[in-house]
Amino acid sequence: MGHAPAGNDGNFDERLKRARQKLDPRSGEFAVTDAGNDESSMSSLGLAIRVGTDLVAGLAVGVAIGYALGHWFGYKALFLSVFALAGCGAGMLNVWRVLKDSGMVSGPKDDGRSQRGSRIDD
């Protein structure tokens, strides 16, 4: 079946550490880790790229829809202006959602307190 470890191989944690080090030698004691953040959080560069992409994508989609509708109906300036503003708003809304989920923006807390800081049910 399987290989039973001999008594002199050490405990499971030591063997697991050696196996992980064989698979990825850079994960040893000299690995650079950020102990303050968990793995689910975005890096600063990733967040900046995501924010920029969301803004540009929203504006580009709005301009494209405005241009197509303006060309089709004949009111290019009107549709282009309206949908460019709508696309810009959509891009800003996406950026707000990303920043709010990452903890970069602080909003009102839902902790049972009013805006002055006293409890509502007091």
Side-chain angles (χ1 to χ4, degrees):
M1 296 269 176
H3 171 64
N8 59 1
D9 280 346
N11 64 6
F12 177 74
D13 292 330
E14 292 173 1
R15 289 184 287 136
L16 182 63
K17 185 178 176 183
R18 284 195 309 257
R20 284 186 178 158
Q21 196 163 15
K22 282 183 183 178
L23 290 174
D24 188 8
R26 294 175 287 154
S27 68
E29 61 187 69
F30 299 108
V32 177
T33 58
D34 189 10
N37 295 335
D38 58 349
E39 291 181 15
S40 65
S41 66
M42 296 173 113
S43 68
S44 298
L45 179 63
L47 188 64
I49 291 173
R50 171 86 188 266
V51 164
T53 303
D54 281 346
L55 280 173
V56 171
L59 185 61
V61 169
V63 167
I65 291 172
Y67 182 78
L69 287 176
H71 185 70
W72 190 24
F73 288 118
Y75 297 105
K76 287 185 182 177
L78 175 69
F79 281 111
L80 190 61
S81 301
V82 168
F83 280 95
L85 288 174
C88 186
M92 287 184 189
L93 182 64
N94 287 338
V95 167
W96 177 260
R97 288 179 185 158
V98 168
L99 293 178
K100 188 176 175 186
D101 288 342
S102 68
M104 302 274 294
V105 177
S106 63
K109 296 178 182 174
D110 189 20
D111 61 353
R113 297 183 182 271
S114 70
Q115 292 184 5
R116 287 185 284 166
S118 61
R119 286 204 157 276
I120 294 172
D121 45 328
D122 284 343

